Amino acid sequence: MGLTKIDRVIDTCLIAGRIMIENGSEMARAEDTMKRIAINSGVNNLKIFATVTGLIVSIPDTENAQIETIDRRAIDLEKVAAVNELSRKYANKSIDLDAFFERLSTLDDATPFFPFWLQIIGAALVSGPLMAVFSNNMSDLWITAFVGAIGFAIFYFINRILNIKFISEFVAALVIGLLAVYSVHLGIGKDIDDIIIGSVMPLVPGVPLTNAVRDLLDGHLVSAPARAVEAMLTAVAIGFGIAFIFRFL
């Protein structure tokens, strides 16, 4: 195997792993995909060191070792599925290595993202029905859906403008608590606790917590605590936002 192909194999593995980890994949799945790419390229001994902030990939008996930094973490499982689909096409020889690399290089821009209005509707559909399921309170379903949609909109815009973790969750929770309290005071809603519980559901870090547990069970003793701490800090930010309202109102 020529040196150029080795470089391309490593580059393809790195970009595939980065996209998967950035968008909510657990470490075991990302590593498995990278190893399958290498095996299908004729490399059976790829070495990977993966964390939530970076990847190191090398091939023994060669001078090639590269690092890929991971600067952001989001939840976009459609991109994770797209990487897996491209990997399967590569395994089936439907695309070659160069085409695989090019498709991965444009995946972030080529993968459609749900428009803002549809995300708002999704947040409303998550908030109201979940509140009704948890508390059997049908009377507050619509106000909870409305408050949840507003809270998610605040989270969305602050996250895009500031791009600072935990601030957007704190402010969104603050607004949710404020709207819940005043909706009950105005007679629109009946139970403040139920409205808040349902409205914060779109902000709850369920996927990071799940991935932290899965990483721990798979033996990733660096990534699992890091993801768990990040998820806990998100939960703390949400809790502080709600507690602030209860303390001063």
Side-chain angles (χ1 to χ4, degrees):
M1 180 183 294
L3 184 61
T4 302
K5 186 173 182 181
I6 291 178
D7 288 335
R8 183 48 57 93
V9 170
I10 292 178
D11 289 341
T12 304
C13 291
L14 282 172
I15 193 171
R18 176 184 62 78
I19 291 173
M20 295 184 74
I21 295 172
E22 278 184 347
N23 292 285
S25 171
E26 62 273 22
M27 290 295 173
R29 177 182 295 187
E31 288 187 354
D32 180 68
T33 299
M34 295 165 71
K35 288 179 179 178
R36 289 178 184 273
I37 293 171
I39 290 172
N40 291 323
S41 301
V43 177
N44 297 314
N45 55 350
L46 187 76
K47 302 300 181 183
I48 303 170
F49 179 75
T51 71
V52 292
T53 56
L55 288 166
I56 301 176
V57 171
S58 69
I59 298 174
D61 302 323
T62 70
E63 297 179 354
N64 301 69
Q66 295 186 28
I67 299 173
E68 183 78 17
T69 59
I70 299 172
D71 298 322
R72 68 178 185 88
R73 283 168 297 281
I75 303 299
D76 191 343
L77 299 182
E78 188 170 0
K79 291 183 180 179
V80 176
V83 173
N84 283 330
E85 180 63 25
L86 288 173
S87 177
R88 283 189 284 269
K89 288 183 178 180
Y90 180 59
N92 295 331
K93 309 301 181 183
S94 300
I95 56 175
D96 61 17
L97 184 60
D98 290 331
F100 189 12
F101 178 79
E102 293 300 325
R103 295 277 292 275
L104 288 174
S105 300
T106 59
L107 186 61
D108 284 332
D109 297 326
T111 303
F113 197 69
F114 291 112
F116 173 69
W117 64 268
L118 191 57
Q119 294 184 56
I120 291 297
I121 293 175
L125 292 176
V126 167
S127 301
L130 278 181
M131 183 278 301
V133 169
F134 289 154
S135 60
N136 196 26
N137 178 2
M138 296 299 297
S139 60
D140 286 334
L141 189 150
W142 296 109
I143 185 61
T144 302
F146 174 77
V147 173
I150 295 298
F152 181 81
I154 297 296
F155 163 78
Y156 178 89
F157 284 114
I158 292 180
N159 211 32
R160 284 183 63 112
I161 294 171
L162 296 180
N163 196 25
I164 302 176
K165 290 289 292 181
F166 316 123
I167 297 297
S168 53
E169 287 91 343
F170 172 78
V171 176
L174 199 68
V175 173
I176 286 172
L178 193 65
L179 291 176
V181 169
Y182 278 110
S183 67
V184 172
H185 286 174
L186 294 174
I188 303 174
K190 291 186 177 180
D191 193 301
I192 294 175
D193 293 341
D194 289 347
I195 295 172
I196 290 175
I197 289 172
S199 299
V200 300
M201 283 297 112
L203 308 178
V204 171
V207 173
L209 279 174
T210 302
N211 285 343
V213 174
R214 295 191 65 173
D215 286 347
L216 183 63
L217 295 177
D218 287 326
H220 291 273
L221 301 182
V222 174
S223 300
R227 280 182 161 169
V229 168
E230 186 175 21
M232 290 175 61
L233 288 175
T234 299
V236 167
I238 296 171
F240 277 168
I242 300 300
F244 187 88
I245 294 299
F246 282 145
R247 175 64 179 82
F248 293 103
L249 286 184

